[in-house]
């Protein structure tokens, strides 16, 4: 089993920065995850892809809506199995619950590509 735990959400103003963390744990975590991704879901909307990073940290992908503002990185201390979502120049439209996900698929942009999900963390950006 794999567990994903997000942290770091909060209330910020437009233009501010925020960093989210996602820690992966479990006996089979290294065999079970090829990519970890971030998704977000605003009220009344479908969950949408934000970005993803490979287990090695060598490959990353981003949604067009966040390119240049958001960066995903992986903690180089592999025992921590933690990824980060650095969000800069935040906009009110970035307001959503942000979810961390992990899975064995080599595809990364849809919810069906992931097997494990965190509980989500709220990010609210005021104008």
């Amino acid at each position: 089993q794999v567990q994903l735990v997000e942290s770091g959400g909060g209330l910020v103003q437009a233009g501010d920065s925020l960093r989210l963390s996602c820690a992966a744990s479990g006996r089979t975590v290294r065999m079970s995850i090829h990519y970890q991704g971030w998704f977000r879901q605003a009220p009344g909307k479908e969950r949408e892809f934000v970005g993803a990073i490979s287990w090695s940290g060598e490959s990353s992908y981003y949604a067009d809506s966040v390119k240049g503002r958001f960066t995903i990185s992986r903690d180089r201390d592999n025992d921590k199995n933690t990824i980060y979502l650095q969000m800069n120049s935040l906009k009110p439209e970035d307001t959503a619950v942000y979810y961390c996900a992990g899975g064995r698929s080599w595809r990364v942009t849809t919810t069906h590509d992931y097997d494990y999900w965190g509980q989500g963390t709220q990010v609210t950006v005021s104008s």
Side-chain angles (χ1 to χ4, degrees):
Q1 275 288 22
V2 173
Q3 294 80 41
L4 301 173
V5 178
E6 306 99 332
S7 60
L11 171 64
V12 298
Q13 293 186 330
D16 284 352
S17 298
L18 200 62
R19 190 177 79 159
L20 307 182
S21 301
C22 172
S25 62
R27 186 172 56 87
T28 62
V29 62
R30 293 197 180 191
M31 294 184 294
S32 301
I33 295 180
H34 288 153
Y35 274 89
Q36 276 177 270
W38 288 97
F39 284 73
R40 64 186 182 186
Q41 188 166 19
K45 294 189 177 182
E46 292 188 353
R47 194 169 296 190
E48 66 173 0
F49 174 72
V50 173
I53 189 167
S54 62
W55 186 258
S56 68
E58 294 178 353
S59 300
S60 59
Y61 303 91
Y62 298 93
D64 288 342
S65 59
V66 304
K67 276 181 184 176
R69 298 190 299 123
F70 291 10
T71 303
I72 299 176
S73 60
R74 176 172 294 286
D75 196 307
R76 289 302 177 184
D77 181 349
N78 287 329
D79 288 343
K80 293 185 179 179
N81 299 327
T82 300
I83 66 169
Y84 304 96
L85 179 64
Q86 177 66 44
M87 304 184 292
N88 298 328
S89 303
L90 281 162
K91 305 175 182 180
E93 51 263 44
D94 294 319
T95 295
V97 177
Y98 283 70
Y99 295 91
C100 178
R104 292 179 55 86
S105 174
W106 296 104
R107 301 185 180 191
V108 300
T109 61
T110 77
T111 57
H112 302 292
D113 298 326
Y114 296 88
D115 305 304
Y116 309 101
W117 292 86
Q119 80 287 353
T121 184
Q122 177 71 47
V123 172
T124 303
V125 184
S126 64
S127 57

